[in-house]
Amino acid sequence: MQQSRSFQPWSDTDLQDEDEDKPVKEFCFSMQRKREIRIKQEKQGAKKNTWETWSRDYKRSFRQFQSKASESLQFLVLWRRTINTIGGNFGTGIASYFTFLRFLILMNFVTFLLIGGFIVIPNIVVQELNVVQTSQSSNTTGLCLKYSPNPQGLERYYTFIMDILMGTGFMELTYMFYGFYKNTLVILAAFYYNLPLAYLTTTLFYFLLSLVWIVVRSVKGFKQSLLTENTELSNYTSKIFVGWDFCIKDPRIIKLKQKSIRYELQMDLEEENMRRKHAERTTSQLAAIYSLRVFLNLVVICLTGAAFYCIYLSTVNSQELLINSSVKGNFILELLVGYLPSITITAANFFLPIVFGIIILWEKYTLNWEIRLTLVRCVFLRLTSLGMLLYSLWDKITCSGKPHDAKCVTCGYNIDEYKCWETRVGQEMYKLLIFDFLTVLVVILLVDFPRKMMVDHCSCKPIQFWGQQEFLVPQNVLDIVYGQTVCWIGTFFCPLLPLLNTVKYFIIFYMKRLTLFTNCRPADRTFRASSANFFFMLVLLLGLAISWVPVLYSIFAMTPSRACGPFNGQTNIWDTIPITIQTLPKTAAEFFLFIGSQAFAVPLFFLCCILMFYLIALASSYGELVKTLKDQLQMERSRKMFLRQVTY
């Protein structure tokens, strides 16, 4: 035993070529081994010539420069100190919400830069400089070209406010909405700019950029989640022995780090306790719990269906009442009718998650499963409520899918109620974003702060039982995912919506931070940030996928408005791509047409399927290998314990 515990001498073959320049601190060995490695590196360094010595010193200096540069860049990260403070006081789970919000702010700002650089600014330059334009509009005349959003005659005093809140009137003739952009080509000497093509390709590019960005962050979160969620990887040992940062010297930061580790340990112990209770359940208890879960899920489905029906009725009735003479002219009534779908969706998203939170407590899941199921139900409610709203609008625009209907036969869409249907859809998304932002402000100012004051200054038992507010991370995450999905859907119809969403999230960050430190207390039940980050990204990815459906349907299947927008006069929006390809040289046109043909798409599909099955098989083999290694580690641990017992 003594010989097995003693360190073996360092041999010449132990130091590989790639480890010669590796810093000693990066080796996972004891101090005695590291000293031997240092001596071996110095001996090998003395044998090298001048070029090898210079190369080794250069690599070492470059690594040090990279380390210092990365440390310096950390100070440029937006809200770094604020998020660290939140993590120390309330746990990394709540800090992950603010990190997630910061990511959405950055993504929306990048999207705005893309749209501003390729769509908005070129249109401004063309119109302000009176550059020669070539119109591509069709020769359609008559009813299809009648579109005049400006009111005729005298305007009431509140019209300006109404236009801003509803996105109507003069707002339709700004760069905010789709209908203001023109179907023109700019040809100036050697400069050629196709505005409709830029509008379409920019839309597709920011969708693709969002997808790649989210997937990259999801993969990083999944790796961290896989490591921290696995109890076989010594969670407690890693947190206690290697979780501390010995570079911390500020006493305030030390306290924050201590609180953060304490919250993580609290989460681990709580999950372990719940797993133990679940393992002790009898067969009759499991049957009772499963029966109860089936019944409660039926209740959830019925409540969600009722909410969808209310959204459908509110959307249809709102569109009909807005053209009613008894509603027009009444400021309050017209505003309420215009925001009726937004009010219905917000009410459903506000009250039903509370009911879901009560129902999930009766289902007796672990904390992680409670968070995930609540998120799944609320995500389904929120995102499908947007789908129901859009379905109601599309049903009215397309005359319930009947192109030969009297209202749709002339122009291909319901021209009587929707002169510029893309702008109308953009207005609904604009109103949803505005109302969602106002709802957040009203809840913080008129609910959270009064509740804090009542709890602090009133000794009534009901109020004290109500207690101080907790910061519910799942609910707050769903709020911003819902808002981001609205932004993705509406950006094609309202190009400046990412700018509004950036400003909205920027203000919400500070408002949520204020209410967190002023009105909220640390949660009784915390949760791990690693799994939360991955699941947040997964929910956001689902929102992105859902937002593709209405946008791609509008691009490929619907007839664009004849009287407005950059695609008027075309059969569908996607026709811009083939028309542009036909103007290219013959070789380039044939290449792009081949890429878009079935001769290229079908082999590509089969190749992707083969690659996917290969990666699945590779992941499965790696999983088996990891399982085998874990079993070996477990056997080695049992062997050491047995040898200790024999020795003593």
Side-chain angles (χ1 to χ4, degrees):
M1 292 295 297
Q2 294 296 329
Q3 291 179 357
S4 63
R5 292 179 183 177
S6 62
F7 295 114
Q8 300 296 328
W10 183 264
S11 61
D12 294 341
T13 59
D14 288 332
L15 190 61
Q16 304 295 330
D17 293 338
E18 61 268 16
D19 294 335
E20 292 181 0
D21 297 328
K22 188 176 181 180
V24 177
K25 64 180 181 180
E26 295 184 7
F27 288 96
C28 299
F29 296 123
S30 63
M31 293 301 298
Q32 182 178 346
R33 283 283 183 92
K34 289 184 178 181
R35 292 190 187 99
E36 295 175 1
I37 294 173
R38 172 60 63 85
I39 295 172
K40 184 63 62 177
Q41 287 180 340
E42 291 176 353
K43 289 181 179 179
Q44 292 182 356
K47 299 178 182 179
K48 295 181 178 180
N49 55 31
T50 306
W51 168 254
E52 292 177 343
T53 304
W54 179 87
S55 177
R56 183 191 59 185
D57 295 340
Y58 173 78
K59 291 179 180 179
R60 183 182 295 115
S61 301
F62 185 72
R63 282 197 303 266
Q64 293 176 354
F65 171 76
Q66 284 183 319
S67 177
K68 295 294 183 182
S70 61
E71 292 177 2
S72 301
L73 291 176
Q74 290 295 322
F75 292 97
L76 301 178
V77 176
L78 185 64
W79 296 316
R80 180 183 62 89
R81 187 181 297 274
T82 300
I83 294 177
N84 289 338
T85 304
I86 292 171
N89 285 279
F90 296 93
T92 54
I94 294 179
S96 65
Y97 162 78
F98 288 90
T99 304
F100 184 59
L101 185 57
R102 179 180 62 186
F103 164 70
L104 292 183
I105 291 173
L106 179 61
M107 186 168 61
N108 279 284
F109 184 69
V110 171
T111 302
F112 163 69
L113 292 180
L114 286 173
I115 294 175
F118 292 98
I119 299 177
V120 180
I121 293 179
N123 277 273
I124 294 176
V125 171
V126 167
Q127 294 191 17
E128 294 296 329
L129 299 181
N130 294 322
V131 178
V132 178
Q133 307 173 34
T134 303
S135 177
Q136 302 184 94
S137 300
S138 65
N139 297 324
T140 305
T141 58
L143 185 63
C144 296
L145 297 180
K146 291 182 179 180
Y147 174 64
S148 179
N150 277 332
Q152 303 297 323
L154 296 176
E155 298 182 4
R156 294 180 175 87
Y157 66 93
Y158 58 78
T159 303
F160 181 77
I161 300 176
M162 179 68 72
D163 289 343
I164 293 178
L165 294 176
M166 300 280 289
T168 55
F170 80 93
M171 288 287 291
E172 297 184 41
L173 298 178
T174 62
Y175 293 99
M176 178 66 68
F177 291 105
Y178 167 96
F180 184 72
Y181 297 88
K182 306 301 180 183
N183 187 354
T184 56
L185 291 173
V186 178
I187 302 175
L188 185 62
F191 179 75
Y192 173 87
Y193 199 82
N194 190 330
L195 294 178
L197 180 64
Y199 197 103
L200 179 59
T201 53
T202 303
T203 299
L204 299 177
F205 181 77
Y206 76 70
F207 269 125
L208 180 62
L209 176 64
S210 300
L211 174 64
V212 173
W213 206 340
I214 294 172
V215 168
V216 170
R217 286 184 64 96
S218 299
V219 170
K220 293 180 180 178
F222 178 72
K223 290 179 181 178
Q224 186 180 6
S225 175
L226 187 64
L227 178 65
T228 57
E229 292 265 340
N230 197 336
T231 56
E232 298 180 10
L233 296 178
S234 304
N235 259 339
Y236 306 109
T237 305
S238 62
K239 286 184 175 63
I240 293 173
F241 292 104
V242 300
W244 185 257
D245 186 358
F246 290 93
C247 297
I248 298 176
K249 296 181 179 180
D250 189 348
R252 182 176 59 87
I253 304 299
I254 290 175
K255 291 181 179 179
L256 294 178
K257 185 66 175 179
Q258 290 172 345
K259 290 181 180 180
S260 178
I261 295 176
R262 185 187 67 188
Y263 277 118
E264 290 288 335
L265 291 174
Q266 177 184 345
M267 178 63 207
D268 292 335
L269 293 173
E270 185 176 356
E271 286 187 358
E272 189 66 29
N273 186 35
M274 295 193 71
R275 288 194 191 98
R276 180 179 56 80
K277 290 181 179 179
H278 290 181
E280 295 174 354
R281 289 174 179 168
T282 62
T283 305
S284 58
Q285 289 175 339
L286 289 175
I289 288 176
Y290 288 142
S291 301
L292 180 62
R293 288 175 181 174
V294 171
F295 172 74
L296 292 176
N297 278 286
L298 291 176
V299 173
V300 169
I301 293 173
C302 293
L303 291 174
T304 306
F308 292 164
Y309 184 68
C310 292
I311 293 170
Y312 177 80
L313 290 179
S314 64
T315 305
V316 173
N317 292 330
S318 173
Q319 304 298 314
E320 294 176 354
L321 290 174
L322 281 175
I323 59 177
N324 195 321
S325 58
S326 60
V327 174
K328 278 193 163 300
N330 189 326
F331 176 75
I332 302 297
L333 189 58
E334 187 175 354
L335 191 63
L336 288 176
V337 170
Y339 274 87
L340 185 59
S342 302
I343 294 172
T344 306
I345 292 175
T346 303
N349 292 336
F350 181 79
F351 290 108
L352 284 186
I354 297 176
V355 179
F356 294 162
I358 297 172
I359 290 175
I360 198 68
L361 296 176
W362 290 87
E363 295 181 282
K364 303 299 181 181
Y365 288 106
T366 60
L367 180 60
N368 272 338
W369 275 103
E370 284 186 11
I371 294 172
R372 290 169 182 173
L373 284 179
T374 304
L375 279 171
V376 167
R377 289 169 179 172
C378 295
V379 164
F380 180 78
L381 171 67
R382 287 176 177 266
L383 300 184
T384 50
S385 63
L386 288 176
M388 181 58 65
L389 170 65
L390 292 169
Y391 169 78
S392 305
L393 289 173
W394 260 252
D395 187 63
K396 296 285 289 183
I397 294 171
T398 60
C399 302
S400 301
K402 301 175 183 177
H404 299 293
D405 189 275
K407 295 180 179 179
C408 294
V409 69
T410 305
C411 305
Y413 55 92
N414 190 348
I415 191 63
D416 295 340
E417 299 180 22
Y418 302 93
K419 304 293 184 182
C420 184
W421 64 264
E422 295 93 345
T423 296
R424 194 66 171 271
V425 175
Q427 288 170 352
E428 292 297 331
M429 298 298 105
Y430 173 82
K431 288 186 287 186
L432 281 174
L433 187 142
I434 295 295
F435 192 78
D436 182 60
F437 176 63
L438 294 177
T439 302
V440 172
L441 294 183
V442 168
V443 169
I444 291 175
L445 298 176
L446 301 183
V447 177
D448 295 347
F449 281 101
R451 177 178 176 177
K452 170 68 174 176
M453 296 176 63
M454 291 171 63
V455 171
D456 290 344
H457 299 91
C458 183
S459 59
C460 301
K461 289 186 178 180
I463 294 178
Q464 293 300 321
F465 178 77
W466 189 22
Q468 194 173 346
Q469 179 185 357
E470 290 185 15
F471 192 89
L472 302 177
V473 175
Q475 183 66 30
N476 284 279
V477 167
L478 289 181
D479 289 339
I480 57 178
V481 170
Y482 165 78
Q484 185 60 43
T485 306
V486 170
C487 179
W488 275 326
I489 295 173
T491 300
F492 182 76
F493 310 102
C494 183
L496 294 184
L497 210 59
L499 176 61
L500 296 181
N501 211 36
T502 302
V503 176
K504 168 191 166 184
Y505 284 159
F506 191 86
I507 297 174
I508 285 178
F509 184 95
Y510 284 101
M511 295 298 294
K512 290 293 184 180
R513 174 182 175 275
L514 176 64
T515 190
L516 177 65
F517 282 97
T518 306
N519 305 323
C520 299
R521 59 182 172 86
D524 293 331
R525 306 182 71 182
T526 60
F527 65 97
R528 186 180 290 112
S530 57
S531 57
N533 286 329
F534 170 67
F535 200 71
F536 294 166
M537 288 297 167
L538 193 61
V539 173
L540 188 64
L541 192 62
L542 178 62
L544 177 63
I546 291 177
S547 67
W548 286 353
V549 176
V551 176
L552 294 180
Y553 180 76
S554 302
I555 292 175
F556 288 99
M558 295 190 65
T559 303
S561 298
R562 306 289 185 182
C564 67
F567 305 101
N568 60 60
Q570 298 178 181
T571 305
N572 56 61
I573 295 174
W574 183 252
D575 284 347
T576 302
I577 301 296
I579 292 173
T580 305
I581 290 177
Q582 292 176 1
T583 62
L584 298 175
K586 183 178 179 180
T587 304
E590 290 178 352
F591 172 74
F592 284 111
L593 289 175
F594 172 73
I595 291 178
S597 64
Q598 295 180 355
F600 178 80
V602 173
L604 180 64
F605 174 75
F606 282 109
L607 180 62
C608 291
C609 291
I610 294 172
L611 180 62
M612 181 182 67
F613 285 120
Y614 169 74
L615 292 176
I616 291 174
L618 190 64
S620 178
S621 63
Y622 284 155
E624 292 295 330
L625 178 61
V626 169
K627 184 179 178 181
T628 304
L629 292 175
K630 288 179 181 178
D631 292 339
Q632 291 178 0
L633 288 174
Q634 188 68 24
M635 292 176 61
E636 187 69 22
R637 179 176 176 272
S638 302
R639 180 185 175 187
K640 288 183 178 179
M641 293 177 63
F642 175 74
L643 290 175
R644 286 198 188 100
Q645 293 175 359
V646 172
T647 303
Y648 297 109

